[in-house]
Amino acid sequence: MIFLVIILLIPQNVQSLETINLAYLTDFPVTGAEDILVSGTYAYIGTNNGLEILDVSSSLAPSKLSDLTFFTSGPKLFYAFPYLFSCDGTVGVNIINIADRTTPTKVTTFDTSLCIDIQVVGGYAYVADGTNGLLIIDISTIATPVLTSTINVG
């Protein structure tokens, strides 16, 4: 299945959603797109096959910079340059070095039961892990993350 990343022009000074005028600019075919995160002039697309990085500095002509293939089950992405965290269901958390966006490299994977979502603050990753609740993972040494706490919620 192929999905299209659609780029829209949205004015920065929008006062009301009722008065917003969207302008279709272009699209870019991506196979198996599951999540997208845009930072600056780069779009990071989590796919069912890994990661694709696009240069979107020209909204009318986005270009693919690179991709990284790794097993994934529908990633949820979090950006904390120079790292991208991919929360991948039963696979866990993939940590990817994106300092050179043309050659992203997988640093490590931290195994979880069912990684649903992730946020990173300071030296910690907070992972919603299904029935395991909230996992707090020390990522101060990025290549060797350590589980510091599990909080059962609900």
Side-chain angles (χ1 to χ4, degrees):
M1 182 178 297
I2 295 179
F3 295 88
L4 296 177
V5 175
I6 298 175
I7 299 173
L8 301 173
L9 179 62
I10 303 173
Q12 290 184 345
N13 59 352
V14 173
Q15 299 296 320
S16 167
L17 291 178
E18 294 172 6
T19 61
I20 190 169
N21 292 315
L22 299 177
Y24 170 83
L25 297 178
T26 191
D27 54 53
F28 192 93
V30 176
T31 302
E34 300 281 343
D35 194 18
I36 186 167
L37 189 148
V38 178
S39 181
T41 59
Y42 300 99
Y44 304 92
I45 303 169
T47 71
N48 58 12
N49 198 35
L51 172 70
E52 290 196 24
I53 301 176
L54 305 182
D55 179 343
V56 293
S57 58
S58 170
S59 299
L60 295 175
S63 61
K64 182 175 176 179
L65 289 177
S66 61
D67 59 38
L68 180 64
T69 300
F70 52 89
F71 179 77
T72 180
S73 58
K76 179 74 176 170
L77 302 175
F78 188 87
Y79 175 82
F81 191 79
Y83 299 103
L84 191 69
F85 297 81
S86 174
C87 189
D88 291 332
T90 57
V91 174
V93 177
N94 287 306
I95 302 174
I96 303 153
N97 185 325
I98 55 168
D100 179 353
R101 291 172 181 93
T102 61
T103 56
T105 56
K106 188 166 134 181
V107 176
T108 192
T109 299
F110 186 86
D111 188 27
T112 68
S113 294
L114 184 60
C115 188
I116 296 170
D117 200 0
I118 186 169
Q119 294 290 310
V120 175
V121 178
Y124 293 93
Y126 298 85
V127 176
D129 196 47
T131 58
N132 286 330
L134 175 67
L135 307 182
I136 302 174
I137 303 167
D138 181 343
I139 56 169
S140 57
T141 305
I142 201 76
T144 56
V146 176
L147 179 65
T148 59
S149 185
T150 301
I151 302 169
N152 290 320
V153 289

